[in-house]
Amino acid sequence: MMVFTLFTMWALGLLALFTDPKRTSIRWACATAFVGGAGFLSAVIDETIMPLWAEMFTMTPGTEQTLLFLSRLSSFICQVGLPYSFLMFAVHSAEFLARKTKLITQFAALCFPISMLAITPIHPVLAFNYWIMVAWVIPFFLVSCTLLIVQYRSEKDPLVKKNSFFTNVLIIVPLFFVFIFIYVMRIQNDYEAWRYNMLVVAIQFILIVAISLKYGFLGVRLRVEKRRLDSTLRALTSGAQIINHTIKNEAGKISLYADRIETYAKETNQPGLQEDAVVLLQSSQHMLDMMNRIQTQLRDVELQESPTAPSEIVTQVIHNLKRYTEKYQVQVEAELDESLRLYCDAVQLREVLTNLCMNAIEAMRSGGKLHVQLFLSNRHLVIAVADTGTGISKENLPHVLDPFFSTKRAGQNFGLGLSYCYNVMQKHQGMLEIYSEQGKGTTVFLFFPKKRVITH
């Protein structure tokens, strides 16, 4: 169990590092997991490696002393390094702190672990003064929690804010218990309470896996749904091409023979037969038009990228839909940062926004408010299209990006609009997220990576 807990801690650290190794906060998150795991490494050495070594080999005094020293050193690194690495994770996660402030805090806070190294015997017996430890460890923990909570509350980007919420819950709550079991309980002379941390880590691991699959954690987003949608779109695109080719051939034959029948009907003065031939011609043309529309929306998007002012595109889309907003008495509000420039496909972006705004308007046939926002967060350029319409039920929400899924009346709608929008955002290395509550409205967020923002 101890070995499993150790590897779980380190696996979580490597998983976090793998998501975005360039971000300083992610590196400190990885360090926190590895430093925390050092405490379990100490127990593994004492309770697993040393007995196993003694059983398989001859335990010489030198080997025993080396293993004991490694065990005590690992325990020291865990107890002294865990509060420091957690504080550094919080400091570097706090986007509102200046870089200079972060560096000063990083070096100033290091004085406390160094002081503990100076006053704490490590070998042969690790002897902490836990009253001194608690005097700085608890403030470190409280400051870290405060920074993470303030960062969460000040975050404008809804995607980052959602991830920050789960990150805070899955880090702050477990570390609260870890700190209690490691430091506070030892003031009470309970030196075995740390073993409860195995249960804490096990619960944390289960929750991280479950939440990562559905929402994402520390940037980890195991997008099973994304892969499913991507493969579905590829399959549909290939299928549409094959079906389109077949229908064109068959519709061509129908048109040819219908045209001959119409000519024959004219020559023989058979108006009834002539009308039937016209119906056949119209039907064949309708089949071709329908397949062309489907294939157009399923086609592999090829971007024609250039520097673009997204605020101008939003304004143009709102203007072009004015007759619809006036018809359904929809009030339009726009909050646009006109200084932003984005490297993207302007035509595709215009089509995406038109789709989203039309969906919003159609959900407010009895009137409502269409609110479009354009702003820059710490990690994305965000465009949000929100309505106060009928909303989407919980049962339908997971399927709205599926091709051919639609809650609208049948007719000219094929349920491909959002699939197309999703496809365009994928091509831009971005994301499309939908938040909706039935009876209260829907908000669709377009997240473009910050690297596409053109800075002057």
Side-chain angles (χ1 to χ4, degrees):
M1 181 63 181
M2 200 73 67
V3 175
F4 173 78
T5 306
L6 171 63
F7 283 111
T8 299
M9 291 284 292
W10 286 356
L12 290 175
L14 289 174
L15 183 61
L17 184 64
F18 176 75
T19 62
D20 191 357
K22 293 182 179 180
R23 278 179 55 200
T24 307
S25 61
I26 292 295
R27 293 201 295 270
W28 278 111
C30 176
T32 302
F34 268 81
V35 169
F40 292 105
L41 176 60
S42 174
V44 168
I45 292 173
D46 288 341
E47 300 177 11
T48 303
I49 294 178
M50 290 184 69
L52 190 62
W53 188 284
E55 183 179 332
M56 297 179 63
F57 309 99
T58 301
M59 179 69 77
T60 63
T63 302
E64 184 178 10
Q65 290 303 311
T66 300
L67 290 174
L68 284 172
F69 175 74
L70 290 175
S71 170
R72 306 300 178 262
L73 180 62
S74 297
S75 182
F76 177 86
I77 290 172
C78 171
Q79 296 184 60
V80 171
L82 185 60
Y84 176 77
S85 58
F86 179 48
L87 177 63
M88 290 304 101
F89 165 69
V91 166
H92 289 283
S93 296
E95 302 287 351
F96 55 87
L97 293 180
R99 185 173 181 273
K100 185 177 181 180
T101 303
K102 294 179 180 181
L103 290 175
I104 291 173
T105 305
Q106 183 171 325
F107 289 109
L110 194 58
C111 296
F112 293 90
I114 292 175
S115 299
M116 295 308 299
L117 178 63
I119 66 173
T120 305
I122 297 178
H123 187 74
V125 177
L126 180 61
F128 278 111
N129 184 324
Y130 282 101
W131 285 104
I132 295 177
M133 285 287 286
V134 167
W136 64 272
V137 165
I138 298 302
F140 270 37
F141 177 75
L142 294 177
V143 170
S144 302
C145 294
T146 302
L147 289 174
L148 291 172
I149 292 170
V150 171
Q151 173 61 30
Y152 163 74
R153 291 179 64 86
S154 63
E155 182 59 60
K156 288 176 60 180
D157 187 325
L159 184 62
V160 176
K161 189 165 188 172
K162 181 178 70 175
N163 287 335
S164 295
F165 172 78
F166 289 116
T167 300
N168 289 354
V169 170
L170 292 171
I171 289 183
I172 291 175
V173 176
L175 281 180
F176 170 78
F177 288 104
V178 168
F179 278 43
I180 292 294
F181 295 144
I182 291 181
Y183 307 104
V184 177
M185 295 303 292
R186 287 180 178 176
I187 291 178
Q188 309 300 319
N189 295 318
D190 185 348
Y191 289 88
E192 294 298 314
W194 67 269
R195 294 183 183 276
Y196 291 114
N197 289 333
M198 289 188 289
L199 178 61
V200 173
V201 172
I203 294 173
Q204 183 187 35
F205 176 74
I206 293 169
L207 290 175
I208 285 175
V209 171
I211 292 175
S212 294
L213 286 169
K214 190 170 184 180
Y215 300 107
F217 168 67
L218 282 174
V220 181
R221 196 169 180 85
L222 306 179
R223 291 304 301 259
V224 175
E225 285 297 305
K226 174 183 176 298
R227 292 172 184 168
R228 181 181 66 82
L229 284 169
D230 289 343
S231 61
T232 301
L233 284 170
R234 285 195 298 270
L236 283 171
T237 301
S238 301
Q241 290 173 344
I242 295 170
I243 294 172
N244 196 40
H245 178 73
T246 303
I247 288 179
K248 279 185 177 179
N249 288 339
E250 298 305 314
K253 294 177 185 176
I254 294 172
S255 296
L256 175 63
Y257 284 99
D259 187 60
R260 290 174 61 179
I261 291 170
E262 184 184 20
T263 302
Y264 174 76
K266 284 181 181 179
E267 292 174 351
T268 58
N269 194 25
Q270 299 184 60
L273 183 59
Q274 187 176 349
E275 289 177 7
D276 291 343
V278 170
V279 171
L280 286 174
L281 286 168
Q282 291 174 343
S283 295
S284 62
Q285 187 59 48
H286 177 70
M287 283 191 295
L288 289 175
D289 291 341
M290 184 180 70
M291 285 307 302
N292 285 334
R293 285 200 301 274
I294 292 175
Q295 189 170 11
T296 297
Q297 288 184 294
L298 285 175
R299 73 184 186 278
D300 188 28
V301 175
E302 295 182 5
L303 300 183
Q304 302 293 325
E305 299 173 278
S306 61
T308 303
S311 60
E312 293 179 4
I313 296 178
V314 172
T315 303
Q316 184 181 15
V317 168
I318 292 174
H319 176 75
N320 291 342
L321 297 177
K322 190 174 180 180
R323 66 189 181 99
Y324 294 103
T325 56
E326 290 178 348
K327 177 182 178 182
Y328 297 115
Q329 297 180 332
V330 173
Q331 179 185 351
V332 180
E333 291 182 358
E335 295 181 43
L336 310 176
D337 186 339
E338 297 181 356
S339 65
L340 295 175
R341 295 292 181 273
L342 180 69
Y343 193 69
C344 68
D345 187 321
V347 174
Q348 303 286 1
L349 177 57
R350 185 180 299 110
E351 185 66 21
V352 167
L353 289 172
T354 300
N355 266 289
L356 297 181
C357 288
M358 277 302 301
N359 285 346
I361 293 168
E362 289 176 0
M364 298 184 288
R365 290 181 177 269
S366 300
K369 182 185 293 184
L370 174 63
H371 188 195
V372 184
Q373 287 180 290
L374 166 65
F375 61 90
L376 186 66
S377 75
N378 292 320
R379 300 181 200 173
H380 305 106
L381 182 145
V382 184
I383 302 177
V385 178
D387 66 65
T388 57
T390 54
I392 305 169
S393 68
K394 290 182 179 180
E395 295 76 19
N396 289 331
L397 191 57
H399 305 289
V400 292
L401 294 178
D402 290 349
F404 300 112
F405 179 85
S406 177
T407 58
K408 301 175 186 177
R409 291 190 299 268
Q412 297 302 310
N413 174 64
F414 299 111
L416 293 170
L418 285 176
S419 298
Y420 163 75
C421 296
Y422 168 85
N423 198 11
V424 171
M425 291 307 297
Q426 289 295 300
K427 290 293 183 177
H428 282 90
Q429 299 93 43
M431 290 175 286
L432 184 151
E433 297 280 340
I434 302 174
Y435 300 84
S436 186
E437 188 173 347
Q438 195 166 20
K440 293 187 177 180
T442 301
T443 303
V444 181
F445 291 97
L446 304 179
F447 298 98
F448 292 89
K450 200 168 183 179
K451 64 183 179 181
R452 285 185 167 271
V453 177
I454 300 170
T455 56
H456 299 287

